[in-house]
Amino acid sequence: MDDNTFWALIEDSRQQSGNPDERLEALREQLARRAPTEIVAFQACLHRVRQPVDTWDMWCAAELILDGRCSDDGFWYFQFWVIGLGRAAFDRAAAEPDSLADVPEIRRLAGRRMDDWRDDEWPDAESLDYVAGEAFDLATGEEDGFEGALEAAGLDLPCSPEPDDAEWDVTDAGEVARRLPRLSRMFPPAPRSGGVSGRP
């Protein structure tokens, strides 16, 4: 599956509904109508297109939005959420993480307590990583056959963030403001102690 086909599937499901669960259901149904090899290829493509947002700047953006509570898993799910925004927004965010300040879904969260966020507002799309496996089960009737299909295709996909760009101190408020000026204003970082460098 090439990138254009992958993004067409993402965009089509996004147009189906404003509800994340309904979008995933639409995507699952589309994938289940495809050949098993294409469903496996979708999963491979998902992880290939994800790589440009697996960076320290993007992790810091997630940290700001999530009020300093973005774990490894949280950032992993955040990356899939950025994919779910569609190709244009994804490409802008990959090139400049601070452009997430322009995304309506992010703007709606600014200035609000996280306790007040609805479940469907959270910048988290964990289920996008599972949708191909669910579609594979529907298409083949083989429960739990997806992992075997990935292995047969020679795919050993990651399961956690692995930024390979230059690591920096994401607790340095001045550096955060320099790299992500708009998000820093929208989601002022909470004061921290200890000055631990690197991974949130």
Side-chain angles (χ1 to χ4, degrees):
M1 179 175 291
D2 61 24
D3 288 2
N4 288 334
T5 302
F6 171 86
W7 283 113
L9 287 165
I10 295 291
E11 298 285 358
D12 186 65
S13 65
R14 185 171 173 80
Q15 292 171 11
Q16 298 296 317
S17 172
N19 181 283
D21 291 337
E22 292 176 2
R23 289 177 191 166
L24 279 171
E25 180 60 31
L27 179 57
R28 187 181 301 111
E29 290 177 359
Q30 289 186 67
L31 287 172
R33 291 194 291 267
R34 292 175 172 262
T37 53
E38 286 189 83
I39 301 173
V40 170
F42 175 91
Q43 186 72 0
C45 195
L46 174 67
H47 284 274
R48 184 174 69 250
V49 303
R50 177 195 59 80
Q51 290 173 350
V53 295
D54 192 15
T55 67
W56 289 109
D57 280 12
M58 187 62 72
W59 200 328
C60 187
E63 274 280 288
L64 286 170
I65 295 164
L66 295 169
D67 196 25
R69 289 176 258 181
C70 187
S71 64
D72 287 31
D73 285 348
F75 182 46
W76 185 245
Y77 307 150
F78 183 84
Q79 292 178 36
F80 293 119
W81 179 84
V82 177
I83 291 172
L85 293 173
R87 189 172 199 171
F90 177 89
D91 286 345
R92 286 192 297 271
E96 182 189 356
D98 203 36
S99 70
L100 288 173
D102 297 324
V103 172
E105 291 91 333
I106 292 296
R107 297 183 70 82
R108 285 195 289 269
L109 300 179
R112 294 169 53 198
R113 289 167 44 88
M114 293 173 70
D115 292 345
D116 295 332
W117 296 0
R118 298 191 316 270
D119 288 346
D120 63 358
E121 290 184 305
W122 277 79
D124 172 324
E126 176 182 4
S127 296
L128 184 56
D129 197 23
Y130 309 140
V131 70
E134 294 165 357
F136 187 92
D137 291 350
L138 287 172
T140 64
E142 300 175 17
E143 188 174 344
D144 301 325
F146 190 55
E147 292 301 319
L150 291 174
E151 290 180 15
L155 296 171
D156 183 17
L157 301 175
C159 58
S160 62
E162 298 176 356
D164 60 4
D165 57 328
E167 189 171 350
W168 56 280
D169 184 355
V170 298
T171 68
D172 182 332
E175 186 65 8
V176 171
R178 186 184 73 79
R179 290 173 181 255
L180 303 165
R182 290 182 291 162
L183 285 174
S184 294
R185 290 192 295 272
M186 291 172 69
F187 301 91
R192 303 186 191 197
S193 60
V196 177
S197 175
R199 191 177 295 269

